[in-house]
Amino acid sequence: MHIHAHKGFIFTYGALLSAICGAILGGFYLLQGWLIEWVWPGSYFRPLFNALWLGIVGTLIYWTQRTTGQLPKSLGLIRADLRHVGTSSYKFVWLQMLIPAIMLTSGTSLGPEATLVSSTVLYGLWITDKMRYLEQHYAKIRSNGFMQLLRVCMTPHRYRTPRPASARHQSLWSPLTAAYLTIGIVCFYLTCKFGGEPSVIVYLGHSKWTATDLVWLLPLVIIGWLTGRFYLKGMVLLRKVLTNRVRSNIGLLIVGAIAIYCATLFAPAINFSGMHNFHLLATTWQSQGIGFLWCQSILKLGLLTICLNTGWLGGDIFPVLFSATAQGIAVAHLLPSVDLVMAIGVIAISMGGTILESPLVAGGVMGVMFLPPNLLPVVITTTGILWLLGRGRQYLRDQFGDQFALLREL
C-alpha cells in the first residue's frame, strides 16, 4: 500500500508539472502572437519605425549571444549535453521564451516552433530530473515530514538528479514520458484556446478529387521532390556564401537585419512565420499569377535561409511549408484538369518534406492543419512515396558511391 502511494504521488507530481509547463508554453505562443499584432498595426510600410525596431531587436540578439548563448537552445546542443552529463542546462529556459517572442516581432521569416520544441525538451528534462530525485530519495524525504516533501517539490532549482552514465545510451521515450507529453500538449492547447488564439487549422479549400486525378499523383510527387532538391541546394549555397563572406556575429546580424528590412518594405507577406500569413494561401493568393507565386516562394526561402544563418533564429517548418504551398498553387494553375487542392497538397508535401528532410513532418502538418480530411489517403500515399524516394536515393548513395554522383546532385 505504501509503495502504491509513493508511486501515485510521484506520478501525480509529474503530471502537475507537465500541465504547468504546457500552460507556460501556451503563454509563450499567445505572447509572441500578441506582440506581433501590437508592434505591427496597420500598414507595414513604415521605413523609419522598421529600421528602429530592427536595431533594437538586433541589439537584444547580440546581447544574448554574448551572455547566455544562442536562444532558443539548439536540439543538437541539448543532445550533446545528454550524452556527456545526462541532462542539459535549463537555467535560461524562461529567458529563451521571452527573447524569441520579442525577436519574432522583427519580421524575421521564421516561426515560434523552434522555441516551442526546445523549451518542451528542456522542461521535460527538468521534470524527469526532479522525479528521478524524488524516486531515489522519497523514503528519506518523507521521514522528515510532509513539509520537507513539499519543500523539495516546490523548489525548482534544487533537488534534481541527472541520468546516470549507465542509462545515457537508452531512449528517453517511455509510456510515462508519452503520458506527460500528452498532458502538456492538452494544457498548451487549452491555454491557447481560452487565451483567444485563433484556430491554427486553415484549410486550403474543398477537394473533390477522383480516381482520375490519381494519374497525376506520382508525377506531382516527383516534380515536388526535384523542386525541393533544387531549392535545398540553393539554400545551402546561400548559407555558404554568407558564412564565408561574413565572419563576425555582428556583421551577420546586420546582413540579416537588412534582408528583413527590405522584405518589410517591398514583400511584407514573406515576413513572420508562414503560419502567420497562411490565410493568404487559402484566399487571395489562389487567384494570383504563376510568376508572383514563384517569386514570393523563392524570396521566402531566401529570407528564411538568411535569417537562420545570421542569428535571427526561429522555426523553419511553417516558413518552408508556406513557400512549398505557394509553389503548389503555381503548379496547380498549369494543370486545370487536376483537382486544385489535391495538386497543391501533393506539391507542398513533396517539396516541403524534401527541403525539411522529413516527409513525416511535412505530411503530418499539411494533413492535419491545411488539407481537408477527405485528402487523407492522398496525404498518406504522398508521404510514403516521398519517404521511399529518400530511402532509395540513400541506398544508391551507400551502395554505388561516386558512380551515381549525378543522381546525388538531384
Side-chain angles (χ1 to χ4, degrees), residues 208-332:
K208 297 180 180 179
W209 68 280
T210 63
T212 306
D213 295 312
L214 294 179
V215 174
W216 284 95
L217 181 62
L218 185 57
L220 285 172
V221 172
I222 294 174
I223 291 170
W225 181 70
L226 290 172
T227 305
R229 294 301 308 172
F230 177 77
Y231 285 135
L232 183 59
K233 292 290 185 183
M235 294 167 74
V236 172
L237 179 62
L238 179 56
R239 181 183 65 192
K240 289 180 179 178
V241 171
L242 282 172
T243 54
N244 290 337
R245 297 293 179 88
V246 185
R247 300 301 179 91
S248 67
N249 287 339
I250 192 167
L252 288 170
L253 282 172
I254 291 172
V255 170
I258 292 172
I260 296 170
Y261 179 73
C262 291
T264 63
L265 299 183
F266 305 113
I270 69 172
N271 287 115
F272 305 108
S273 167
M275 186 65 220
H276 187 75
N277 290 321
F278 221 94
H279 65 279
L280 295 173
L281 301 172
T283 54
T284 57
W285 279 27
Q286 292 192 13
S287 60
Q288 292 285 358
I290 294 173
F292 171 86
L293 293 165
W294 271 337
C295 183
Q296 293 289 322
S297 175
I298 292 169
L299 288 174
K300 179 73 173 177
L301 290 177
L303 183 60
L304 166 67
T305 305
I306 293 171
C307 291
L308 281 174
N309 293 282
T310 56
W312 300 80
L313 300 176
D316 59 355
I317 296 174
F318 290 118
V320 167
L321 292 180
F322 179 93
S323 176
T325 303
Q327 291 275 345
I329 297 173
V331 173

Side-chain angles (χ1 to χ4, degrees), residues 142-175:
R142 196 68 183 89
S143 66
N144 291 327
F146 180 75
M147 291 306 296
Q148 177 62 19
L149 180 62
L150 189 63
R151 186 178 299 109
V152 170
C153 293
M154 297 294 288
T155 307
H157 61 285
R158 295 177 59 193
Y159 310 114
R160 295 165 289 141
T161 301
R163 298 180 90 197
S166 59
R168 289 172 195 171
H169 66 284
Q170 299 174 2
S171 173
L172 288 169
W173 287 102
S174 68

